[in-house]
Amino acid sequence: MGLLIALTAAVAACQAGAAAAPQAAPQASAAAEGVVPDRKLPERSASSSCAGVEAAWRHVATQNDRARLRNWRTLWVEALAKAKAAGGADEIARDEALFNPDLALDRPIPPAGDYRCRIIKLGAKAKDNKNFVTLPPANCTVGKDGGESWFVVNDGIQRPIGRFFAGPPGRGIFLGTLELGDERRPLEYGLDAKRDMIAYLDRVGDKRWRLIVPSPHFDATIEVIEIASVP
């Protein structure tokens, strides 16, 4: 299935952290192996510095996506206020870790395996949208392809699919595209701006991560995608 972006082993090494030895990751489900993205970036030297690797996503991301990412925190504050006022205050207060914009723990890249994902929409993009919406939980997968991490939401009406990049210190970057409805062949990143996705990736707890998607093209001002280990 032609899609997207791949990184080299140098990227994976920096994602794991220079001080920590890499650990064997759980094998991804066989059902998800068939959607491994196969588009490759130019090869990088295994001796590349982490600073250089962190810049890799910038060479792949579109100008529009880089601009969206720069404004993420301002959008977050505005969208969260709208979500609280629209009836989401109690749920947001019960899950402080997920909704704290400044929480970013070490080891931001999830290990390969099967997860439960939840998409939460904050702040309406249009008058007919709601300011706080939580979509039903969906099955999702983090996989490894030659030492590089990819991510896919396997079911539901909105299904991100793409790659994890090393990001700023303590954070990761997701670049990908969005599948809708009954589509089963994702678009290649950069071909359709309305389907392109960019997000910060944070670890916010034990075996729990989130994607922060600023200015998604549908429904909301901010999307939070929770990635949690399956009990």
Side-chain angles (χ1 to χ4, degrees), residues 185-201:
R185 178 174 291 274
L187 294 173
E188 187 173 335
Y189 179 80
L191 291 183
D192 185 345
K194 290 185 177 181
R195 296 296 190 90
D196 289 345
M197 295 185 67
I198 190 168
Y200 275 123
L201 171 65

Side-chain angles (χ1 to χ4, degrees), residues 41-79:
L41 285 177
E43 290 294 326
R44 289 178 177 269
S45 167
S47 63
S48 298
S49 68
C50 285
V53 171
E54 192 275 325
W57 70 268
R58 301 178 189 275
H59 295 292
V60 179
T62 64
Q63 183 176 354
N64 180 57
D65 278 357
R66 292 196 300 271
R68 289 197 291 165
L69 201 64
R70 282 194 295 270
N71 296 324
W72 77 273
R73 202 179 191 287
T74 298
L75 294 172
W76 178 285
V77 172
E78 295 174 354

Side-chain angles (χ1 to χ4, degrees), residues 1 52 58 118 146 158 189:
M1 182 176 292
R58 301 178 189 275
R118 197 165 49 111
Q158 297 183 10
Y189 179 80

Side-chain angles (χ1 to χ4, degrees), residues 104-118:
L105 304 176
D106 61 350
R107 293 176 284 114
I109 309 298
D114 293 323
Y115 293 85
R116 177 187 59 81
C117 287
R118 197 165 49 111

Side-chain angles (χ1 to χ4, degrees), residues 12-214:
C14 284
Q15 289 174 341
Q23 299 179 352
Q27 186 173 353
S29 64
E33 291 176 357
V35 297
V36 176
D38 56 14
R39 185 183 178 193
K40 302 294 181 181
L41 285 177
E43 290 294 326
R44 289 178 177 269
S45 167
S47 63
S48 298
S49 68
C50 285
V53 171
E54 192 275 325
W57 70 268
R58 301 178 189 275
H59 295 292
V60 179
T62 64
Q63 183 176 354
N64 180 57
D65 278 357
R66 292 196 300 271
R68 289 197 291 165
L69 201 64
R70 282 194 295 270
N71 296 324
W72 77 273
R73 202 179 191 287
T74 298
L75 294 172
W76 178 285
V77 172
E78 295 174 354
L80 197 64
K82 292 180 180 179
K84 290 178 178 179
D90 289 343
E91 182 173 342
I92 291 168
R94 285 194 299 268
D95 202 343
E96 182 178 353
L98 186 64
F99 295 105
N100 179 355
D102 300 316
L103 181 60
L105 304 176
D106 61 350
R107 293 176 284 114
I109 309 298
D114 293 323
Y115 293 85
R116 177 187 59 81
C117 287
R118 197 165 49 111
I119 298 177
I120 302 159
K121 299 174 181 287
L122 305 176
K125 184 177 285 290
K127 291 182 179 180
D128 56 347
N129 297 138
K130 295 182 179 180
N131 282 307
F132 186 68
V133 175
T134 300
L135 298 184
N139 297 316
C140 55
T141 301
V142 175
K144 288 285 188 179
D145 177 19
E148 302 154 8
S149 295
W150 51 269
F151 172 73
V152 58
V153 174
N154 299 310
D155 48 41
I157 59 174
Q158 297 183 10
R159 300 179 303 280
I161 176 172
R163 289 281 184 178
F164 290 148
F165 285 68
R171 309 192 85 175
I173 296 289
F174 171 77
L175 286 176
T177 59
L178 183 66
E179 287 183 328
L180 297 174
D182 59 358
E183 296 174 351
R184 283 296 178 263
R185 178 174 291 274
L187 294 173
E188 187 173 335
Y189 179 80
L191 291 183
D192 185 345
K194 290 185 177 181
R195 296 296 190 90
D196 289 345
M197 295 185 67
I198 190 168
Y200 275 123
L201 171 65
D202 301 319
R203 188 169 71 86
V204 295
D206 184 27
K207 299 181 180 179
R208 194 182 187 209
W209 295 260
R210 71 173 174 208
L211 291 172
I212 299 174
V213 185

